[in-house]
Amino acid sequence: MLRISATILLTVMLTACAITFKGYEGEMKPDSEIAILSRSGFTQIVELDGIHIQSATRMEYTRDNPLGLAYKAVEMMPGDHTVTAHYHCDGPKKWDFCTTGNYKFTLCFTAQAGHRYTVYSEVVDRYYGWIEDDESDQVIADTNSSGCN
């Protein structure tokens, strides 16, 4: 019982330590002036507009992140963006929801100030990735029609 409680506490602490990657120059801006893109499940954000973002699940120590905290989201200025992400699940074969693999994809979308978005991916019969506006639940980009130029 003590071991389970310690595991739950550690999980909560690590989740609380997740930080946001600042994907723009200059001073921090209020949420009303930026857009925020979060990741879901086994989806990891790899790049924003060609800028590498450390893995959201792999702890890495860098000058900008000396504690090696995990990035859960990316802040960006409003406008057109290209996001590269991937589905990565390396779980045991007994996990029905986990298809082992590493499927990279690129999506283009226009972010609006004050909006929050989430990037999703899944592998069922085939691989699929998409971005939703969290407020409207509308899909704004997907691997079927992303059309990045």
Side-chain angles (χ1 to χ4, degrees):
M1 181 67 171
L2 183 59
R3 176 178 247 170
I4 293 171
S5 296
T7 303
I8 292 170
L9 179 61
L10 181 60
T11 302
V12 169
M13 287 173 51
L14 288 174
T15 302
C17 289
I19 58 176
T20 302
F21 181 85
K22 184 173 150 263
Y24 58 89
E25 299 287 324
E27 298 294 317
M28 295 292 293
K29 299 190 181 303
D31 288 355
S32 62
E33 294 180 17
I34 61 170
I36 299 173
L37 177 67
S38 299
R39 67 175 188 88
S40 68
F42 294 109
T43 306
Q44 298 176 5
I45 303 169
V46 178
E47 288 183 359
L48 172 67
D49 301 326
I51 299 169
H52 175 75
I53 300 168
Q54 85 178 44
S55 169
T57 58
R58 187 175 297 124
M59 300 294 190
E60 294 178 6
Y61 298 92
T62 65
R63 184 176 48 173
D64 294 333
N65 189 7
L67 299 177
L69 300 175
Y71 290 116
K72 174 92 172 133
V74 179
E75 295 180 352
M76 64 193 80
M77 295 303 294
D80 295 335
H81 294 282
T82 301
V83 174
T84 301
H86 67 89
Y87 170 93
H88 179 78
C89 187
D90 226 0
K93 299 245 186 249
K94 65 182 177 184
W95 291 359
D96 292 337
F97 63 88
C98 188
T99 302
T100 301
N102 186 353
Y103 305 92
K104 195 172 186 180
F105 61 95
T106 300
L107 298 170
C108 296
F109 76 109
T110 302
Q112 297 179 26
H115 283 240
R116 290 180 169 270
Y117 304 93
T118 303
V119 60
Y120 296 91
S121 60
E122 65 183 11
V123 178
V124 182
D125 295 333
R126 62 182 182 84
Y127 173 73
Y128 183 64
W130 71 99
I131 296 174
E132 286 184 13
D133 183 310
D134 291 353
E135 188 173 320
S136 68
D137 291 330
Q138 178 181 359
V139 174
I140 59 168
D142 64 50
T143 51
N144 290 336
S145 60
S146 181
C148 293
N149 294 328

PDB file of all heavy atoms in Angstrom, residues 23-46:
ATOM      1  N   GLY A  23       7.906  29.420 -27.442  1.00  0.00           N
ATOM      2  CA  GLY A  23       8.300  29.362 -28.841  1.00  0.00           C
ATOM      3  C   GLY A  23       8.273  30.713 -29.542  1.00  0.00           C
ATOM      4  O   GLY A  23       7.936  30.789 -30.725  1.00  0.00           O
ATOM      5  N   TYR A  24       8.647  31.782 -28.830  1.00  0.00           N
ATOM      6  CA  TYR A  24       8.711  33.117 -29.429  1.00  0.00           C
ATOM      7  C   TYR A  24       9.787  33.916 -28.711  1.00  0.00           C
ATOM      8  O   TYR A  24      10.209  33.583 -27.609  1.00  0.00           O
ATOM      9  CB  TYR A  24       7.353  33.834 -29.364  1.00  0.00           C
ATOM     10  CG  TYR A  24       6.791  33.998 -27.966  1.00  0.00           C
ATOM     11  CD1 TYR A  24       7.096  35.108 -27.187  1.00  0.00           C
ATOM     12  CD2 TYR A  24       5.952  33.030 -27.424  1.00  0.00           C
ATOM     13  CE1 TYR A  24       6.589  35.246 -25.906  1.00  0.00           C
ATOM     14  CE2 TYR A  24       5.434  33.165 -26.148  1.00  0.00           C
ATOM     15  CZ  TYR A  24       5.760  34.282 -25.390  1.00  0.00           C
ATOM     16  OH  TYR A  24       5.249  34.413 -24.124  1.00  0.00           O
ATOM     17  N   GLU A  25      10.253  34.993 -29.342  1.00  0.00           N
ATOM     18  CA  GLU A  25      11.308  35.851 -28.796  1.00  0.00           C
ATOM     19  C   GLU A  25      10.724  36.884 -27.828  1.00  0.00           C
ATOM     20  O   GLU A  25       9.551  37.226 -27.912  1.00  0.00           O
ATOM     21  CB  GLU A  25      12.015  36.598 -29.937  1.00  0.00           C
ATOM     22  CG  GLU A  25      12.694  35.690 -30.941  1.00  0.00           C
ATOM     23  CD  GLU A  25      13.951  35.052 -30.410  1.00  0.00           C
ATOM     24  OE1 GLU A  25      14.679  35.720 -29.648  1.00  0.00           O
ATOM     25  OE2 GLU A  25      14.196  33.877 -30.738  1.00  0.00           O
ATOM     26  N   GLY A  26      11.568  37.389 -26.960  1.00  0.00           N
ATOM     27  CA  GLY A  26      11.177  38.510 -26.099  1.00  0.00           C
ATOM     28  C   GLY A  26      10.599  38.077 -24.766  1.00  0.00           C
ATOM     29  O   GLY A  26      10.688  36.921 -24.359  1.00  0.00           O
ATOM     30  N   GLU A  27       9.991  39.052 -24.100  1.00  0.00           N
ATOM     31  CA  GLU A  27       9.422  38.850 -22.772  1.00  0.00           C
ATOM     32  C   GLU A  27       8.206  37.918 -22.813  1.00  0.00           C
ATOM     33  O   GLU A  27       7.544  37.807 -23.842  1.00  0.00           O
ATOM     34  CB  GLU A  27       9.002  40.202 -22.181  1.00  0.00           C
ATOM     35  CG  GLU A  27      10.149  41.177 -21.980  1.00  0.00           C
ATOM     36  CD  GLU A  27      11.131  40.704 -20.920  1.00  0.00           C
ATOM     37  OE1 GLU A  27      10.664  40.221 -19.859  1.00  0.00           O
ATOM     38  OE2 GLU A  27      12.341  40.792 -21.164  1.00  0.00           O
ATOM     39  N   MET A  28       7.915  37.314 -21.671  1.00  0.00           N
ATOM     40  CA  MET A  28       6.711  36.485 -21.542  1.00  0.00           C
ATOM     41  C   MET A  28       5.480  37.351 -21.800  1.00  0.00           C
ATOM     42  O   MET A  28       5.418  38.494 -21.365  1.00  0.00           O
ATOM     43  CB  MET A  28       6.622  35.890 -20.139  1.00  0.00           C
ATOM     44  CG  MET A  28       7.730  34.909 -19.812  1.00  0.00           C
ATOM     45  SD  MET A  28       7.658  33.384 -20.747  1.00  0.00           S
ATOM     46  CE  MET A  28       6.182  32.656 -20.097  1.00  0.00           C
ATOM     47  N   LYS A  29       4.518  36.791 -22.500  1.00  0.00           N
ATOM     48  CA  LYS A  29       3.288  37.505 -22.831  1.00  0.00           C
ATOM     49  C   LYS A  29       2.110  36.839 -22.133  1.00  0.00           C
ATOM     50  O   LYS A  29       2.149  35.647 -21.861  1.00  0.00           O
ATOM     51  CB  LYS A  29       3.087  37.511 -24.332  1.00  0.00           C
ATOM     52  CG  LYS A  29       4.227  38.207 -25.083  1.00  0.00           C
ATOM     53  CD  LYS A  29       3.896  38.413 -26.524  1.00  0.00           C
ATOM     54  CE  LYS A  29       5.020  39.070 -27.281  1.00  0.00           C
ATOM     55  NZ  LYS A  29       5.452  40.344 -26.777  1.00  0.00           N
ATOM     56  N   PRO A  30       1.049  37.601 -21.867  1.00  0.00           N
ATOM     57  CA  PRO A  30      -0.140  36.995 -21.248  1.00  0.00           C
ATOM     58  C   PRO A  30      -0.816  36.018 -22.226  1.00  0.00           C
ATOM     59  O   PRO A  30      -0.671  36.140 -23.446  1.00  0.00           O
ATOM     60  CB  PRO A  30      -1.044  38.178 -20.936  1.00  0.00           C
ATOM     61  CG  PRO A  30      -0.565  39.289 -21.806  1.00  0.00           C
ATOM     62  CD  PRO A  30       0.889  39.037 -22.072  1.00  0.00           C
ATOM     63  N   ASP A  31      -1.563  35.053 -21.678  1.00  0.00           N
ATOM     64  CA  ASP A  31      -2.242  34.045 -22.496  1.00  0.00           C
ATOM     65  C   ASP A  31      -3.151  34.665 -23.552  1.00  0.00           C
ATOM     66  O   ASP A  31      -3.362  34.076 -24.606  1.00  0.00           O
ATOM     67  CB  ASP A  31      -3.063  33.096 -21.623  1.00  0.00           C
ATOM     68  CG  ASP A  31      -2.181  32.142 -20.820  1.00  0.00           C
ATOM     69  OD1 ASP A  31      -0.941  32.153 -21.013  1.00  0.00           O
ATOM     70  OD2 ASP A  31      -2.733  31.382 -20.011  1.00  0.00           O
ATOM     71  N   SER A  32      -3.678  35.853 -23.293  1.00  0.00           N
ATOM     72  CA  SER A  32      -4.586  36.501 -24.245  1.00  0.00           C
ATOM     73  C   SER A  32      -3.865  36.961 -25.515  1.00  0.00           C
ATOM     74  O   SER A  32      -4.500  37.231 -26.524  1.00  0.00           O
ATOM     75  CB  SER A  32      -5.285  37.684 -23.591  1.00  0.00           C
ATOM     76  OG  SER A  32      -4.328  38.655 -23.189  1.00  0.00           O
ATOM     77  N   GLU A  33      -2.520  37.031 -25.480  1.00  0.00           N
ATOM     78  CA  GLU A  33      -1.743  37.499 -26.634  1.00  0.00           C
ATOM     79  C   GLU A  33      -1.023  36.373 -27.371  1.00  0.00           C
ATOM     80  O   GLU A  33      -0.378  36.616 -28.390  1.00  0.00           O
ATOM     81  CB  GLU A  33      -0.712  38.539 -26.185  1.00  0.00           C
ATOM     82  CG  GLU A  33      -1.332  39.817 -25.661  1.00  0.00           C
ATOM     83  CD  GLU A  33      -0.284  40.825 -25.236  1.00  0.00           C
ATOM     84  OE1 GLU A  33       0.901  40.694 -25.628  1.00  0.00           O
ATOM     85  OE2 GLU A  33      -0.649  41.756 -24.496  1.00  0.00           O
ATOM     86  N   ILE A  34      -1.109  35.170 -26.857  1.00  0.00           N
ATOM     87  CA  ILE A  34      -0.412  34.032 -27.469  1.00  0.00           C
ATOM     88  C   ILE A  34      -1.389  32.884 -27.704  1.00  0.00           C
ATOM     89  O   ILE A  34      -2.534  32.934 -27.262  1.00  0.00           O
ATOM     90  CB  ILE A  34       0.749  33.539 -26.579  1.00  0.00           C
ATOM     91  CG1 ILE A  34       0.210  33.080 -25.215  1.00  0.00           C
ATOM     92  CG2 ILE A  34       1.833  34.594 -26.446  1.00  0.00           C
ATOM     93  CD1 ILE A  34       1.230  32.359 -24.354  1.00  0.00           C
ATOM     94  N   ALA A  35      -0.924  31.867 -28.379  1.00  0.00           N
ATOM     95  CA  ALA A  35      -1.675  30.615 -28.533  1.00  0.00           C
ATOM     96  C   ALA A  35      -0.857  29.523 -27.849  1.00  0.00           C
ATOM     97  O   ALA A  35       0.370  29.612 -27.763  1.00  0.00           O
ATOM     98  CB  ALA A  35      -1.864  30.283 -30.012  1.00  0.00           C
ATOM     99  N   ILE A  36      -1.545  28.504 -27.345  1.00  0.00           N
ATOM    100  CA  ILE A  36      -0.871  27.410 -26.648  1.00  0.00           C
ATOM    101  C   ILE A  36      -1.271  26.086 -27.291  1.00  0.00           C
ATOM    102  O   ILE A  36      -2.453  25.805 -27.465  1.00  0.00           O
ATOM    103  CB  ILE A  36      -1.220  27.403 -25.154  1.00  0.00           C
ATOM    104  CG1 ILE A  36      -0.764  28.723 -24.510  1.00  0.00           C
ATOM    105  CG2 ILE A  36      -0.577  26.204 -24.456  1.00  0.00           C
ATOM    106  CD1 ILE A  36      -1.204  28.903 -23.076  1.00  0.00           C
ATOM    107  N   LEU A  37      -0.262  25.284 -27.648  1.00  0.00           N
ATOM    108  CA  LEU A  37      -0.482  23.961 -28.229  1.00  0.00           C
ATOM    109  C   LEU A  37       0.000  22.919 -27.229  1.00  0.00           C
ATOM    110  O   LEU A  37       1.176  22.902 -26.862  1.00  0.00           O
ATOM    111  CB  LEU A  37       0.275  23.806 -29.547  1.00  0.00           C
ATOM    112  CG  LEU A  37       0.194  22.437 -30.218  1.00  0.00           C
ATOM    113  CD1 LEU A  37      -1.232  22.148 -30.692  1.00  0.00           C
ATOM    114  CD2 LEU A  37       1.168  22.353 -31.383  1.00  0.00           C
ATOM    115  N   SER A  38      -0.917  22.059 -26.771  1.00  0.00           N
ATOM    116  CA  SER A  38      -0.585  20.991 -25.826  1.00  0.00           C
ATOM    117  C   SER A  38      -0.525  19.668 -26.562  1.00  0.00           C
ATOM    118  O   SER A  38      -1.080  19.518 -27.644  1.00  0.00           O
ATOM    119  CB  SER A  38      -1.650  20.898 -24.730  1.00  0.00           C
ATOM    120  OG  SER A  38      -1.718  22.101 -24.008  1.00  0.00           O
ATOM    121  N   ARG A  39       0.096  18.696 -25.936  1.00  0.00           N
ATOM    122  CA  ARG A  39       0.159  17.355 -26.506  1.00  0.00           C
ATOM    123  C   ARG A  39      -0.831  16.465 -25.768  1.00  0.00           C
ATOM    124  O   ARG A  39      -1.253  16.766 -24.666  1.00  0.00           O
ATOM    125  CB  ARG A  39       1.560  16.781 -26.389  1.00  0.00           C
ATOM    126  CG  ARG A  39       1.966  16.505 -24.962  1.00  0.00           C
ATOM    127  CD  ARG A  39       3.330  15.824 -24.916  1.00  0.00           C
ATOM    128  NE  ARG A  39       3.637  15.385 -23.574  1.00  0.00           N
ATOM    129  CZ  ARG A  39       3.286  14.213 -23.069  1.00  0.00           C
ATOM    130  NH1 ARG A  39       2.607  13.353 -23.800  1.00  0.00           N
ATOM    131  NH2 ARG A  39       3.598  13.887 -21.836  1.00  0.00           N
ATOM    132  N   SER A  40      -1.187  15.359 -26.385  1.00  0.00           N
ATOM    133  CA  SER A  40      -2.097  14.412 -25.746  1.00  0.00           C
ATOM    134  C   SER A  40      -1.488  13.018 -25.766  1.00  0.00           C
ATOM    135  O   SER A  40      -0.753  12.669 -26.691  1.00  0.00           O
ATOM    136  CB  SER A  40      -3.431  14.387 -26.483  1.00  0.00           C
ATOM    137  OG  SER A  40      -3.233  13.824 -27.764  1.00  0.00           O
ATOM    138  N   GLY A  41      -1.784  12.247 -24.755  1.00  0.00           N
ATOM    139  CA  GLY A  41      -1.414  10.839 -24.723  1.00  0.00           C
ATOM    140  C   GLY A  41       0.006  10.540 -25.158  1.00  0.00           C
ATOM    141  O   GLY A  41       0.960  11.062 -24.601  1.00  0.00           O
ATOM    142  N   PHE A  42       0.139   9.712 -26.187  1.00  0.00           N
ATOM    143  CA  PHE A  42       1.447   9.309 -26.678  1.00  0.00           C
ATOM    144  C   PHE A  42       1.973  10.241 -27.774  1.00  0.00           C
ATOM    145  O   PHE A  42       2.954   9.924 -28.433  1.00  0.00           O
ATOM    146  CB  PHE A  42       1.387   7.872 -27.216  1.00  0.00           C
ATOM    147  CG  PHE A  42       1.113   6.861 -26.153  1.00  0.00           C
ATOM    148  CD1 PHE A  42      -0.105   6.213 -26.097  1.00  0.00           C
ATOM    149  CD2 PHE A  42       2.061   6.575 -25.192  1.00  0.00           C
ATOM    150  CE1 PHE A  42      -0.362   5.279 -25.116  1.00  0.00           C
ATOM    151  CE2 PHE A  42       1.817   5.645 -24.202  1.00  0.00           C
ATOM    152  CZ  PHE A  42       0.596   4.993 -24.157  1.00  0.00           C
ATOM    153  N   THR A  43       1.320  11.384 -27.979  1.00  0.00           N
ATOM    154  CA  THR A  43       1.765  12.342 -28.983  1.00  0.00           C
ATOM    155  C   THR A  43       2.836  13.234 -28.373  1.00  0.00           C
ATOM    156  O   THR A  43       2.665  13.751 -27.280  1.00  0.00           O
ATOM    157  CB  THR A  43       0.593  13.213 -29.458  1.00  0.00           C
ATOM    158  OG1 THR A  43      -0.466  12.371 -29.899  1.00  0.00           O
ATOM    159  CG2 THR A  43       1.016  14.128 -30.589  1.00  0.00           C
ATOM    160  N   GLN A  44       3.926  13.419 -29.085  1.00  0.00           N
ATOM    161  CA  GLN A  44       5.003  14.282 -28.623  1.00  0.00           C
ATOM    162  C   GLN A  44       5.270  15.354 -29.666  1.00  0.00           C
ATOM    163  O   GLN A  44       5.343  15.053 -30.857  1.00  0.00           O
ATOM    164  CB  GLN A  44       6.270  13.468 -28.366  1.00  0.00           C
ATOM    165  CG  GLN A  44       6.064  12.438 -27.268  1.00  0.00           C
ATOM    166  CD  GLN A  44       7.270  11.555 -27.066  1.00  0.00           C
ATOM    167  OE1 GLN A  44       8.309  11.751 -27.669  1.00  0.00           O
ATOM    168  NE2 GLN A  44       7.139  10.567 -26.211  1.00  0.00           N
ATOM    169  N   ILE A  45       5.395  16.608 -29.228  1.00  0.00           N
ATOM    170  CA  ILE A  45       5.697  17.720 -30.128  1.00  0.00           C
ATOM    171  C   ILE A  45       7.209  17.766 -30.307  1.00  0.00           C
ATOM    172  O   ILE A  45       7.950  17.890 -29.344  1.00  0.00           O
ATOM    173  CB  ILE A  45       5.166  19.051 -29.567  1.00  0.00           C
ATOM    174  CG1 ILE A  45       3.649  18.963 -29.318  1.00  0.00           C
ATOM    175  CG2 ILE A  45       5.506  20.200 -30.519  1.00  0.00           C
ATOM    176  CD1 ILE A  45       3.083  20.125 -28.515  1.00  0.00           C
ATOM    177  N   VAL A  46       7.666  17.672 -31.568  1.00  0.00           N
ATOM    178  CA  VAL A  46       9.086  17.594 -31.876  1.00  0.00           C
ATOM    179  C   VAL A  46       9.636  18.945 -32.314  1.00  0.00           C
ATOM    180  O   VAL A  46      10.718  19.354 -31.889  1.00  0.00           O
ATOM    181  CB  VAL A  46       9.335  16.545 -32.986  1.00  0.00           C
ATOM    182  CG1 VAL A  46      10.804  16.482 -33.352  1.00  0.00           C
ATOM    183  CG2 VAL A  46       8.819  15.186 -32.553  1.00  0.00           C
TER     184      VAL A  46
END
